[in-house]
């Protein structure tokens, strides 16, 4: 991943890619997220994938592709001093 300093301001999106709340009642949150990502295509952006745990869907990467954005994983240590931040405790049930 390389960021061009001459590009100016850049959108940075931190996400695990798990869209779970629609903006409109009854709408599909994932479809809305992809639509929003496509609308941002061409905006200089970096998507930071915060997904943790054993089950990984890879949706942050899908959002980055839809945006035409760079993708970078957020690396959390396997054993963080704060137990609530250990990757295994960040897993969604």
């Amino acid at each position: 991943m390389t960021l061009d300093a001459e590009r100016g301001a850049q959108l940075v999106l931190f996400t695990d890619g798990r869209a779970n709340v629609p903006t409109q009642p009854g709408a599909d949150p994932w479809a809305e997220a992809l639509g929003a990502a496509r609308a941002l295509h061409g905006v200089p952006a970096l998507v930071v994938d915060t997904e943790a745990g054993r089950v990984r869907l890879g949706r942050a990467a899908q959002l980055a592709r839809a945006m035409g954005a760079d993708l970078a994983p957020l690396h959390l240590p396997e054993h963080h001093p704060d137990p609530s931040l250990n990757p295994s405790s960040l897993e969604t049930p």
Side-chain angles (χ1 to χ4, degrees), residues 1-72:
M1 171 193 69
T2 59
L3 300 179
D4 184 353
E6 293 184 19
R7 286 167 68 176
Q10 183 168 0
L11 171 68
V12 180
L13 172 64
F14 288 81
T15 183
D16 63 1
R18 296 176 189 234
N20 56 4
V21 178
T23 60
Q24 302 294 320
D28 176 2
W30 176 241
E32 288 184 329
L34 277 176
R38 288 184 191 109
L40 291 169
H41 195 276
V43 172
L46 169 66
V47 175
V48 179
D49 184 356
T50 64
E51 191 170 33
R54 289 174 292 223
V55 178
R56 296 179 187 236
L57 303 176
R59 287 190 163 181
Q62 292 176 42
L63 291 172
R65 279 193 299 276
M67 294 171 68
D70 293 322
L71 176 69

Side-chain angles (χ1 to χ4, degrees), residues 60-87:
Q62 292 176 42
L63 291 172
R65 279 193 299 276
M67 294 171 68
D70 293 322
L71 176 69
L74 177 66
H75 296 288
L76 290 174
E78 220 27 65
H79 299 287
H80 193 278
D82 179 346
S84 68
L85 294 178
N86 286 329

